[in-house]
Coordinates of all heavy atoms in Angstrom, one line a residue:
F1 N 9.0 -9.2 -6.6 CA 8.2 -10.3 -6.2 C 8.3 -11.4 -7.3 O 7.3 -12.1 -7.5 CB 6.8 -9.9 -6.0 CG 6.6 -9.0 -4.8 CD1 6.4 -7.6 -5.0 CD2 6.7 -9.4 -3.5 CE1 6.3 -6.7 -3.9 CE2 6.6 -8.6 -2.4 CZ 6.4 -7.2 -2.6
G2 N 9.4 -11.5 -7.9 CA 9.6 -12.5 -9.0 C 9.4 -13.9 -8.6 O 9.1 -14.8 -9.4
D3 N 9.5 -14.2 -7.3 CA 9.4 -15.6 -6.8 C 8.0 -15.9 -6.3 O 7.7 -17.0 -5.8 CB 10.4 -15.8 -5.7 CG 10.2 -14.9 -4.5 OD1 9.5 -13.9 -4.6 OD2 10.8 -15.2 -3.4
C4 N 7.1 -14.9 -6.5 CA 5.7 -15.2 -6.1 C 4.9 -15.9 -7.3 O 5.2 -15.6 -8.4 CB 5.0 -13.9 -5.7 SG 5.6 -13.1 -4.2
D5 N 3.9 -16.7 -6.9 CA 3.2 -17.3 -8.0 C 2.1 -16.4 -8.6 O 1.9 -15.3 -8.0 CB 2.6 -18.6 -7.5 CG 1.5 -18.4 -6.4 OD1 0.7 -17.5 -6.5 OD2 1.6 -19.2 -5.4
D6 N 1.5 -16.8 -9.7 CA 0.6 -15.9 -10.4 C -0.7 -15.6 -9.6 O -1.4 -14.7 -9.9 CB 0.2 -16.5 -11.7 CG 1.3 -16.5 -12.7 OD1 2.3 -15.8 -12.5 OD2 1.3 -17.3 -13.7
G7 N -0.9 -16.4 -8.6 CA -2.1 -16.2 -7.8 C -2.0 -15.2 -6.7 O -3.0 -14.8 -6.0
D8 N -0.8 -14.6 -6.5 CA -0.5 -13.6 -5.5 C -0.8 -12.2 -6.2 O 0.0 -11.7 -6.9 CB 0.9 -13.6 -5.0 CG 1.1 -12.7 -3.8 OD1 0.3 -11.9 -3.5 OD2 2.2 -12.9 -3.1
I9 N -2.0 -11.7 -6.0 CA -2.5 -10.5 -6.7 C -2.8 -9.4 -5.8 O -3.3 -9.5 -4.7 CB -3.8 -10.9 -7.5 CG1 -3.5 -12.0 -8.6 CG2 -4.4 -9.7 -8.1 CD1 -4.7 -12.5 -9.3
E10 N -2.4 -8.2 -6.2 CA -2.8 -6.9 -5.6 C -3.2 -6.0 -6.7 O -2.5 -5.9 -7.7 CB -1.6 -6.4 -4.7 CG -1.4 -7.1 -3.4 CD -0.8 -6.2 -2.4 OE1 -1.0 -5.0 -2.4 OE2 -0.1 -6.8 -1.5
D11 N -4.2 -5.2 -6.4 CA -4.8 -4.2 -7.4 C -5.0 -4.8 -8.8 O -4.7 -4.2 -9.8 CB -3.8 -3.0 -7.5 CG -4.4 -1.8 -8.1 OD1 -5.7 -1.7 -8.1 OD2 -3.7 -1.0 -8.7
G12 N -5.5 -6.1 -8.8 CA -5.9 -6.7 -10.0 C -4.8 -7.3 -10.9 O -5.0 -7.7 -12.0
I13 N -3.5 -7.4 -10.4 CA -2.4 -7.9 -11.2 C -1.5 -8.7 -10.3 O -1.3 -8.4 -9.1 CB -1.6 -6.7 -11.8 CG1 -0.6 -7.2 -12.8 CG2 -1.0 -5.8 -10.7 CD1 0.1 -6.1 -13.6
P14 N -1.0 -9.8 -10.9 CA 0.0 -10.6 -10.1 C 1.2 -9.8 -9.8 O 1.7 -9.1 -10.6 CB 0.4 -11.7 -11.1 CG -0.8 -11.8 -12.1 CD -1.3 -10.4 -12.2
V15 N 1.6 -9.9 -8.5 CA 2.7 -9.0 -8.1 C 4.0 -9.4 -8.8 O 4.9 -8.5 -8.8 CB 2.9 -9.1 -6.5 CG1 1.7 -8.5 -5.8 CG2 3.1 -10.5 -6.1
N16 N 4.1 -10.6 -9.3 CA 5.4 -10.9 -10.0 C 5.5 -10.2 -11.4 O 6.6 -10.4 -12.0 CB 5.5 -12.4 -10.2 CG 4.3 -13.1 -11.0 OD1 3.6 -12.4 -11.7 ND2 4.2 -14.4 -10.8
Q17 N 4.5 -9.4 -11.8 CA 4.6 -8.7 -13.0 C 5.0 -7.2 -12.7 O 5.2 -6.4 -13.7 CB 3.3 -8.7 -13.8 CG 2.9 -10.1 -14.3 CD 1.7 -10.0 -15.1 OE1 1.2 -9.0 -15.6 NE2 1.0 -11.2 -15.3
L18 N 5.1 -6.8 -11.5 CA 5.5 -5.5 -11.1 C 7.0 -5.3 -11.2 O 7.7 -6.1 -10.8 CB 4.9 -5.1 -9.7 CG 3.4 -5.3 -9.5 CD1 3.1 -5.1 -8.0 CD2 2.6 -4.3 -10.4
G19 N 7.4 -4.1 -11.6 CA 8.8 -3.8 -11.7 C 9.1 -2.4 -11.1 O 8.3 -1.5 -11.1
N20 N 10.4 -2.3 -10.6 CA 10.8 -1.1 -9.9 C 11.8 -0.3 -10.8 O 12.9 -0.8 -11.2 CB 11.5 -1.5 -8.6 CG 11.8 -0.3 -7.7 OD1 11.9 0.8 -8.1 ND2 12.1 -0.6 -6.5
P21 N 11.5 0.9 -11.2 CA 12.4 1.7 -12.0 C 13.6 2.3 -11.2 O 14.5 2.9 -11.8 CB 11.5 2.9 -12.5 CG 10.5 3.1 -11.4 CD 10.2 1.7 -10.9
F22 N 13.6 2.1 -9.9 CA 14.7 2.6 -9.1 C 15.4 1.5 -8.3 O 15.4 1.6 -7.0 CB 14.1 3.7 -8.1 CG 13.2 4.7 -8.7 CD1 12.0 4.9 -8.3 CD2 13.7 5.5 -9.7 CE1 11.1 5.8 -8.8 CE2 12.9 6.5 -10.3 CZ 11.6 6.6 -9.9
P23 N 15.9 0.5 -9.0 CA 16.7 -0.5 -8.2 C 18.0 0.1 -7.7 O 18.9 0.5 -8.5 CB 17.0 -1.6 -9.3 CG 17.0 -0.8 -10.6 CD 16.0 0.3 -10.4
L24 N 18.1 0.2 -6.4 CA 19.2 0.9 -5.8 C 20.6 0.2 -6.1 O 21.6 0.9 -6.1 CB 19.0 1.1 -4.3 CG 17.8 1.9 -3.9 CD1 17.8 2.1 -2.4 CD2 17.9 3.3 -4.6
F25 N 20.6 -1.1 -6.4 CA 21.9 -1.7 -6.7 C 22.5 -1.1 -8.0 O 23.7 -1.2 -8.3 CB 21.7 -3.2 -6.8 CG 20.9 -3.7 -8.0 CD1 21.4 -3.7 -9.3 CD2 19.6 -4.1 -7.8 CE1 20.6 -4.2 -10.3 CE2 18.8 -4.5 -8.8 CZ 19.3 -4.6 -10.1
S26 N 21.6 -0.5 -8.8 CA 22.1 0.1 -10.1 C 22.9 1.4 -9.8 O 23.6 2.0 -10.7 CB 21.0 0.4 -11.0 OG 20.2 1.5 -10.5
G27 N 22.7 2.0 -8.6 CA 23.3 3.2 -8.2 C 22.5 4.4 -8.5 O 22.8 5.5 -8.1
R28 N 21.4 4.2 -9.3 CA 20.5 5.4 -9.6 C 19.8 5.9 -8.4 O 19.2 5.2 -7.6 CB 19.4 4.9 -10.6 CG 18.6 6.0 -11.1 CD 17.4 5.5 -12.0 NE 17.9 4.7 -13.1 CZ 17.1 3.9 -13.8 NH1 15.8 3.9 -13.6 NH2 17.6 3.2 -14.8
G29 N 20.0 7.2 -8.1 CA 19.4 7.8 -6.9 C 20.2 7.6 -5.6 O 19.8 8.3 -4.6
A30 N 21.2 6.8 -5.7 CA 22.0 6.5 -4.4 C 22.6 7.8 -3.8 O 22.6 8.0 -2.6 CB 23.0 5.4 -4.6
D31 N 23.2 8.6 -4.7 CA 23.9 9.8 -4.1 C 22.9 10.8 -3.5 O 23.1 11.3 -2.5 CB 24.7 10.5 -5.3 CG 25.9 9.7 -5.7 OD1 26.4 8.8 -4.9 OD2 26.4 9.9 -6.8

């Protein structure tokens, strides 16, 4: 949600600060 503004909040935090440890384009977990 990097293109969301700071006012888009869920669970008390702007969603643009959330990160995914399993980005599938990296190949991690794909197999």
Side-chain angles (χ1 to χ4, degrees):
F1 295 104
D3 58 346
C4 294
D5 61 43
D6 292 340
D8 191 344
I9 295 174
E10 285 205 32
D11 196 22
I13 187 171
V15 294
N16 60 20
Q17 294 184 22
L18 301 174
N20 190 340
F22 312 121
L24 295 185
F25 66 79
S26 71
R28 185 187 305 168
D31 289 340

